Amino acid sequence: MRFYLTICILLSLGITDSNAQQPKKLNSVEIYNALEKLNFLGSVLYVAAHPDDENTRLISYLANQQNARTAYLSLTRGDGGQNLIGPEIRELLGVIRTQELLAARRIDGGEQLFTRANDFGYSKHPDETLEIWNKEDVLSDVVWAIRKFKPDVIINRFDHRSPGSTHGHHTSSAMLSVEAYELAADSKSFSDQLKYTKTWQPARQFFNTSWWFYGSREKFDKADKKGLMSLDTGTYYPETGLSNTEIAALSRSQHKSQGFGSTGTRGETLEYIELINGTMPTKKESIFEGIDTTWNRIKGGKPLYQLLTTVQQEFDFNHPEKSVPKLLEAYDLIKNLEDEHWRTIKLDEITEIIVAASGLYLEAVAENHFITPGSSLKIEIEAINRSKQPIYLEEVTLAPTTQKITAGINLENNKPNTFTEEITLPKNSLSTNPYWLNKQGTLGMYNVEDRQLIGQPETLKNLRANFSVKIGEHSLVIAREIVFKKNDPVQGEVYQPLEVVPKVAVSLNEKVVIYNNNNSQEIRVNLLPQQDNLSGTLQLETPPDWTVKPNNYSFNNTQKGQVQEFSFKLSPPANQSEGFIQPVATVNEKKYDKELISITYDHIPNQTVILPAKTKVVRLDIQRKGQHIGYIEGAGDVVPQSLAQVGYTVTTIAPNDISANNLSKFDAIVMGIRAYNIVEELKFKQDVLLDYVKNGGNLIVQYNTNRGLKVNGNLGPYPINVSRDRVTDENAKVTFIDPKHPVLNYPNKITPDDFEGWVQERGLYFPNEWSKEYSPILAINDKGESSKKGSLLVTPYGKGNYIYTGLSFFREFPAGVSGAYRLFANLISLGK
């Protein structure tokens, strides 16, 4: 029943999930809970739009209390959100949030699925969402998920009947789920999928409603709930000392990049679901009422239920190996089932139960973190039987090769067996890069051509050791991913994935290089070989009107993992221009133009992402007044680096160092995004910051959300109210309210052209009310909406100026948007 709960206990004791690749070592309670799950054949698919949309209380309850196979289908990977833990945005943030979902599922016991939809940012209406996403493709992916997972019950997080009332992605996820409910059973719909799977009709579909959809807890309490089912998800699990809601909080707290740390609760916790398709359970006690969730649902399954029930009844927590003989009988019965779907699922489950019950530990560890196609790597194999169950290791096959190690070893009780073998990877091996990033997609969709990959949470690692063992007369093949392992002085044993990477990687130190004059700049290119003794050439490809010297460099006698740096002189054209530069290494006539990006956080496995090594170069017509900028960090952005690119001297100021003396030397102080949401010290520093303005400084406050502002009093020197107003169309027309205002004229003349080429959005969380002292500068609106005038507010205060802006400079700077730099320079220059 409670398969994954030991992990929860470890987390509650403060042990992080940095060892997410570490093999599971189930204890007797977990083995017994896995047996309960093995003996239950019911499935639930929970559907929403983003990482962190899922209801972890309900997922954990269904997976652990109900024993159901439970999956969360997140239509996107959360690429368009903000990152509270680091600088990664867009596709790199999507990689982080994917892994955070997987970390959450390891805790709450669920599985994770996706579609190809790209989170392009906030959307106000499903019409816009489904146009940008390509509705038919995403609908196809939802149908595919239903046909592959075969849920008995689908639960939607959002209401399909309320378009325009919440994030367009949210409503779209529910609308697509409702449409797919019927289409999944129709052989004429997306018939190309039927080469790989079969049609499927879920029994019923619910909407997981809550007080939020009623406007307030008070309204929800008063609402008539006769048509709703309620589930008490506050179940207490005495064998772990945790309630289901505490487990759910641990799961939700894995969404660290979004700041969704959650405190566990105890006691009754009701979740409400409303039927939207199928028939309502008459007793309203179980969502599976009327659905056969026993082995009887499949041909040949009846003996399995009887056999596995006996195993549960006779289970010895002190000697789980006593269950192995009957488990092996069940294994053989499952192996001969005609139902391919349940046969595959239950074979995987029972294999791991047999391994755990027999105390069998199998591992394959590589000597290095990376391997390249065609190269060799030593693999250390470990096999140990920690029970008195007789086990014979026949051979080990190292995939994807056909290389076999004939072992022929009787695994005696608690006697370690280790041996080393060298594996040579086929030359045509694909990289282990996140598969959805391998090809260029669109604004709304990732490009994935392989039908079998669509929906997978991550790239399947095919570097595996397949152990062939005999237990008595029964033969099993047990697969183990080949991993890299090291000892960290602080964390001890640390596991990392073994990654397949190109022979050579190239990279540039900057993602955007800004030229504010005609002078050439040094462009440093890093060459990272993943093999010894490579020889080749390195060149820098540029836009046609840019010039570079030298044409190329030669390199040879490389050492694996040792970075070599090469310097090119890049000169811009005389006039404003922009384009991309890309380093290209050539080895044996093969070109390598990708960089390796490492993403390292304690709560997820290390991620290696392979992307084109491109940098945007911009010859910018920009004038500046003022030089020294103080920057107070918020939720994480690259604004300081971007300002340095155009010639400013930027100093990061720690919150504790905010003082009149320290601020007085700066021409402007810039607050990082959401600084007033996350920096506790600002409660006590606001007066100092406003005194800095009063004494002649410019304070530029970037966007904050309207919840949890950490400021005593007003956000500015005069009243200002931050709302949820935003303009999501990055091409929305921008009107100048006061064209003569200095912000639009000095030292750069701002024109409508400066708002061309913006990415993802115009801005977010604009103020909607402010006192008369503020001057609104711009008017913008999305299609069909009223004009929003709060994107940029300016007011003199004392000798200086206070500026509040919801414009998304933090997105435009990394994209090298010229007009964003010119406008920000005017904000810094105000009053000078």
Side-chain angles (χ1 to χ4, degrees):
M1 191 189 314
R2 290 161 284 280
F3 193 8
Y4 294 89
L5 301 192
T6 293
I7 297 173
C8 298
I9 294 174
L10 294 177
L11 284 168
S12 69
L13 294 174
I15 300 174
T16 68
D17 200 27
S18 61
N19 289 341
Q21 298 294 309
Q22 189 167 1
K24 299 185 189 113
K25 303 168 188 174
L26 304 184
N27 60 38
S28 290
V29 171
E30 291 170 317
I31 294 170
Y32 182 79
N33 292 334
L35 282 169
E36 290 187 305
K37 204 172 189 76
L38 180 66
N39 218 8
F40 187 90
L41 279 71
S43 301
V44 183
L45 184 65
Y46 196 90
V47 181
H50 310 106
D52 72 45
D53 283 345
E54 80 274 28
N55 184 337
T56 55
R57 293 185 300 273
L58 198 49
I59 289 174
S60 179
Y61 171 81
L62 294 168
N64 297 310
Q65 176 64 24
Q66 297 285 298
N67 296 314
R69 183 173 178 240
T70 308
Y72 172 42
L73 174 60
S74 176
L75 268 58
T76 77
R77 296 176 185 269
D79 326 75
Q82 286 83 52
N83 185 359
L84 294 184
I85 61 175
E88 297 89 355
I89 57 173
R90 293 304 309 150
E91 66 270 6
L92 295 182
L93 177 58
V95 172
I96 292 172
R97 298 189 72 185
T98 294
Q99 291 300 320
E100 288 180 335
L101 274 175
L102 290 171
R105 299 295 81 78
R106 284 191 288 272
I107 291 170
D108 60 35
E111 299 177 36
Q112 186 60 50
L113 301 171
F114 292 96
T115 73
R116 289 170 290 173
N118 191 340
D119 178 5
F120 56 84
Y122 191 86
S123 174
K124 294 180 177 178
H125 199 279
D127 288 350
E128 177 195 42
T129 299
L130 295 173
E131 181 179 350
I132 294 174
W133 272 357
N134 186 334
K135 177 189 172 183
E136 281 302 297
D137 284 349
V138 184
L139 178 61
S140 166
D141 291 357
V142 178
V143 170
W144 173 253
I146 294 171
R147 287 173 173 174
K148 289 282 286 183
F149 190 76
K150 302 191 186 309
D152 298 302
V153 179
I154 295 175
I155 302 177
N156 295 339
R157 185 66 182 114
F158 298 103
D159 191 349
H160 63 288
R161 300 159 296 194
S162 55
S165 63
T166 182
H167 196 324
H169 297 185
H170 292 169
T171 310
S172 295
S173 71
M175 292 168 64
L176 292 170
S177 177
V178 170
E179 191 171 353
Y181 177 86
E182 299 289 351
L183 294 180
D186 182 1
S187 61
K188 295 179 182 178
S189 297
F190 307 110
S191 57
D192 59 306
Q193 298 178 3
L194 302 181
K195 299 174 187 176
Y196 310 98
T197 188
K198 297 178 181 179
T199 59
W200 181 255
Q201 180 61 67
R204 51 183 64 111
Q205 186 175 42
F206 294 98
F207 159 46
N208 181 197
T209 190
S210 70
W211 68 265
W212 190 87
F213 296 96
Y214 285 72
S216 70
R217 294 183 186 276
E218 183 180 8
K219 289 180 180 178
F220 187 59
D221 289 341
K222 293 178 180 178
D224 183 1
K225 302 183 182 65
K226 290 179 182 178
L228 306 180
M229 276 186 69
S230 64
L231 303 171
D232 182 4
T233 62
T235 306
Y236 174 62
Y237 305 125
E239 66 270 38
T240 65
L242 293 171
S243 67
N244 184 73
T245 43
E246 288 174 305
I247 295 165
L250 290 167
S251 172
R252 187 156 183 79
S253 295
Q254 297 310 296
H255 295 298
K256 298 183 188 299
S257 64
Q258 300 301 293
F260 280 118
S262 181
T263 300
T265 61
R266 288 145 294 280
E268 181 184 72
T269 304
L270 296 180
E271 287 291 336
Y272 292 91
I273 53 177
E274 175 189 351
L275 185 77
I276 52 178
N277 269 311
T279 57
M280 176 70 88
T282 56
K283 296 180 181 178
K284 294 186 180 181
E285 293 176 355
S286 170
I287 62 172
F288 293 106
E289 182 185 312
I291 302 169
D292 191 349
T293 57
T294 73
W295 283 98
N296 292 332
R297 77 182 296 172
I298 59 176
K299 184 179 178 180
K302 186 173 182 179
L304 277 160
Y305 175 76
Q306 296 168 342
L307 182 56
L308 292 172
T309 300
T310 301
V311 172
Q312 288 177 242
Q313 292 170 346
E314 297 177 352
F315 187 76
D316 186 336
F317 284 85
N318 292 320
H319 296 282
E321 72 276 7
K322 291 180 180 179
S323 298
V324 171
K326 282 189 172 64
L327 286 169
L328 289 166
E329 289 181 43
Y331 177 90
D332 288 340
L333 289 173
I334 294 172
K335 192 166 61 172
N336 293 318
L337 291 172
E338 293 180 15
D339 189 307
E340 182 182 0
H341 174 72
W342 283 112
R343 184 179 70 233
T344 302
I345 293 167
K346 295 303 181 181
L347 269 181
D348 287 344
E349 288 183 17
I350 198 169
T351 298
E352 292 306 320
I353 293 171
I354 291 169
V355 169
S358 60
L360 182 58
Y361 183 82
L362 304 169
E363 185 174 78
V365 176
E367 63 178 337
N368 290 315
H369 183 24
F370 294 136
I371 185 172
T372 61
S375 65
S376 299
L377 192 65
K378 287 182 180 178
I379 308 294
E380 184 175 281
I381 308 293
E382 179 182 353
I384 183 169
N385 173 15
R386 294 171 292 181
S387 74
K388 295 180 181 180
Q389 184 73 40
I391 301 176
Y392 180 73
L393 178 61
E394 296 180 308
E395 63 182 21
V396 183
T397 304
L398 298 175
T401 72
T402 57
Q403 192 171 337
K404 292 185 178 181
I405 307 165
T406 302
I409 301 171
N410 283 311
L411 300 180
E412 299 178 27
N413 182 27
N414 220 29
K415 297 288 180 66
N417 299 274
T418 59
F419 42 94
T420 302
E421 188 72 15
E422 188 167 82
I423 182 175
T424 301
L425 201 62
K427 292 182 179 180
N428 61 351
S429 296
L430 299 177
S431 75
T432 49
N433 193 47
Y435 69 86
W436 61 94
L437 299 179
N438 283 334
K439 296 198 172 185
Q440 182 69 39
T442 64
L443 173 64
M445 296 294 295
Y446 281 118
N447 183 1
V448 182
E449 295 178 349
D450 186 344
R451 163 56 62 187
Q452 297 284 55
L453 285 176
I454 292 173
Q456 295 288 343
E458 58 184 340
T459 300
L460 298 176
K461 301 290 195 299
N462 62 356
L463 294 165
R464 292 182 174 272
N466 296 316
F467 294 82
S468 297
V469 302
K470 286 196 77 172
I471 307 178
E473 297 301 315
H474 303 267
S475 296
L476 291 83
V477 176
I478 302 158
R480 289 291 178 262
E481 182 182 323
I482 301 174
V483 296
F484 172 67
K485 182 171 68 173
K486 66 178 181 179
N487 183 70
D488 183 271
V490 176
Q491 298 188 34
E493 187 178 53
V494 174
Y495 285 77
Q496 295 176 8
L498 174 60
E499 306 281 10
V500 180
V501 297
K503 287 183 181 179
V504 178
V506 291
S507 64
L508 295 141
N509 289 349
E510 306 292 344
K511 291 302 177 188
V512 177
V513 178
I514 305 294
Y515 289 73
N516 55 13
N517 54 44
N518 292 332
N519 297 336
S520 63
Q521 289 192 41
E522 182 182 57
I523 303 295
R524 289 171 293 171
V525 177
N526 301 310
L527 181 82
L528 176 61
Q530 293 299 332
Q531 286 185 211
D532 293 331
N533 301 318
L534 294 176
S535 298
T537 59
L538 178 68
Q539 66 185 80
L540 185 65
E541 295 182 348
T542 68
D545 50 348
W546 296 63
T547 58
V548 64
K549 293 181 181 180
N551 291 328
N552 60 64
Y553 286 98
S554 295
F555 60 88
N556 52 51
N557 298 323
T558 61
Q559 295 184 43
K560 180 179 179 179
Q562 182 176 17
V563 178
Q564 296 182 41
E565 187 176 84
F566 298 86
S567 180
F568 292 87
K569 287 285 186 182
L570 182 65
S571 301
N575 299 319
Q576 185 157 312
S577 172
E578 59 184 57
F580 289 92
I581 58 175
Q582 183 164 30
V584 179
T586 304
V587 178
N588 295 329
E589 299 185 349
K590 184 172 181 179
K591 295 185 181 296
Y592 297 88
D593 58 2
K594 304 288 196 302
E595 65 175 320
L596 297 184
I597 303 169
S598 293
I599 301 176
T600 306
Y601 291 102
D602 283 346
H603 66 300
I604 60 174
N606 290 358
Q607 298 296 299
T608 300
V609 183
I610 304 169
L611 293 176
K614 285 186 176 182
T615 283
K616 188 172 186 180
V617 289
V618 180
R619 169 63 174 94
L620 179 60
D621 179 14
I622 187 171
Q623 303 297 319
R624 297 182 293 108
K625 295 295 181 181
Q627 180 63 33
H628 297 283
I629 310 298
Y631 190 82
I632 298 170
E633 292 182 340
D637 55 48
V638 294
V639 171
Q641 299 91 315
S642 301
L643 295 177
Q645 279 273 346
V646 292
Y648 291 107
T649 302
V650 184
T651 302
T652 299
I653 305 171
N656 288 331
D657 293 333
I658 298 174
S659 66
N661 185 56
N662 287 341
L663 300 186
S664 63
K665 58 188 176 185
F666 294 108
D667 297 303
I669 300 296
V670 179
M671 307 297 291
I673 59 172
R674 297 175 68 176
Y676 285 99
N677 293 126
I678 68 170
V679 181
E680 292 284 345
E681 293 91 335
L682 290 181
K683 288 181 180 178
F684 315 107
K685 299 294 184 177
Q686 182 72 343
D687 289 344
V688 180
L689 290 165
L690 293 179
D691 282 345
Y692 161 78
V693 178
K694 189 182 293 185
N695 291 325
N698 280 356
L699 178 62
I700 302 170
V701 179
Q702 298 184 86
Y703 96 93
N704 292 269
T705 66
N706 54 4
R707 288 185 297 175
L709 286 170
K710 302 183 187 303
V711 59
N712 292 326
N714 288 319
L715 193 59
Y718 308 110
I720 185 172
N721 181 67
V722 176
S723 73
R724 297 184 64 84
D725 286 352
R726 62 201 301 162
V727 175
T728 61
D729 182 359
E730 62 269 33
N731 299 310
K733 182 181 178 180
V734 178
T735 301
F736 299 165
I737 296 173
D738 180 5
K740 295 182 180 181
H741 195 284
V743 160
L744 298 174
N745 291 278
Y746 184 80
N748 302 288
K749 178 68 174 178
I750 302 301
T751 72
D753 289 345
D754 288 298
F755 291 92
E756 295 293 324
W758 283 51
V759 298
Q760 187 160 328
E761 62 199 354
R762 287 300 190 195
L764 63 171
Y765 292 101
F766 300 162
N768 64 349
E769 295 178 357
W770 51 86
S771 67
K772 60 182 176 58
E773 287 83 1
Y774 293 98
S775 297
I777 306 299
L778 307 172
I780 325 173
N781 61 275
D782 280 320
K783 184 179 178 180
E785 293 193 353
S786 62
S787 181
K788 305 293 186 292
K789 299 180 180 180
S791 65
L792 181 58
L793 301 175
V794 179
T795 182
Y797 183 62
K799 299 177 182 178
N801 295 279
Y802 175 92
I803 301 158
Y804 187 93
T805 179
L807 294 171
S808 59
F809 290 106
F810 72 102
R811 295 198 189 280
E812 312 317 316
F813 287 170
V817 177
S818 303
Y821 281 95
R822 286 164 44 83
L823 178 56
F824 208 90
N826 284 13
L827 302 183
I828 292 171
S829 305
L830 191 61
K832 296 178 176 58

